[in-house]
Amino acid sequence: MATKNLSEYNLASVPDASNMCFGIVVSEWNPEITGALLDGCVSTLEKHGAIPENIHVKTVPGSFELIYGAQQLSRNDGYDAIIILGSVIRGETPHFDYICQGVTQGIAHLNATNAIPIVYGLLTTNDLQQARDRAGGRLGNKGDECAVVAIKMAKF
């Protein structure tokens, strides 16, 4: 398990995002976590030059719907990258496994078949504390990391 802030990175290694446009699809499920991921993502995009008018956020009810949301945004020619943000916390049933596998496979398929990158920002944790640790807590914010990945992949 990670023991350091994984959101630390070399600022100089991130390209300028001032001429880029980003689509973000965020799940409404586990809003404490997904809201923190979204805040981190947007602030990091802006820190690297993206202007607020070029950051478009769409919400979907749950994590499984992130696939459809990303697919719909990918049909818009104006995006340089799309970021999905969600949180699935393990429960007592196999639902966790099905959702996590489905979203992972769906986003992988979209990445393999689309012309723009779709960045995977789905937290898959065993409990709420692990999610908090990765959504602005002691291990950083995966939203920040997804923003950096989106900028770098848009420049790819």
Side-chain angles (χ1 to χ4, degrees):
M1 180 162 87
T3 58
K4 67 177 190 129
N5 183 332
L6 300 175
S7 296
E8 295 173 357
Y9 58 93
N10 179 354
L11 288 171
S13 72
V14 182
D16 175 38
S18 60
N19 291 321
M20 297 180 185
C21 187
F22 300 94
I24 302 172
V25 185
V26 60
S27 170
E28 295 171 336
W29 195 256
N30 294 323
E32 170 193 351
I33 303 303
T34 59
L37 293 172
L38 178 61
D39 290 346
C41 184
V42 169
S43 67
T44 299
L45 289 172
E46 290 176 351
K47 178 169 68 175
H48 291 287
I51 59 173
E53 295 80 21
N54 287 343
I55 302 170
H56 305 150
V57 178
K58 299 289 186 180
T59 60
V60 294
S63 292
F64 199 77
E65 292 78 24
L66 292 166
I67 304 163
Y68 177 82
Q71 178 190 42
Q72 293 303 305
L73 287 185
S74 73
R75 293 179 175 174
N76 179 334
D77 290 335
Y79 293 114
D80 294 291
I82 295 167
I83 302 162
I84 63 131
L85 300 171
S87 172
V88 183
I89 299 171
R90 187 179 299 278
E92 297 177 357
T93 69
H95 179 260
F96 173 90
D97 298 314
Y98 298 130
I99 296 299
C100 296
Q101 288 174 0
V103 175
T104 300
Q105 291 172 352
I107 298 302
H109 175 75
L110 290 175
N111 266 306
T113 59
N114 278 297
I116 60 172
I118 300 175
V119 177
Y120 183 90
L122 179 69
L123 290 183
T124 57
T125 60
N126 290 317
D127 57 47
L128 182 58
Q129 187 56 53
Q130 287 179 347
R132 287 178 176 147
D133 288 345
R134 291 158 177 79
R138 68 182 183 87
L139 297 177
N141 188 319
K142 286 292 185 187
D144 294 342
E145 295 171 43
C146 289
V148 170
V149 170
I151 294 167
K152 288 182 172 189
M153 291 306 296
K155 260 318 212 202
F156 187 80

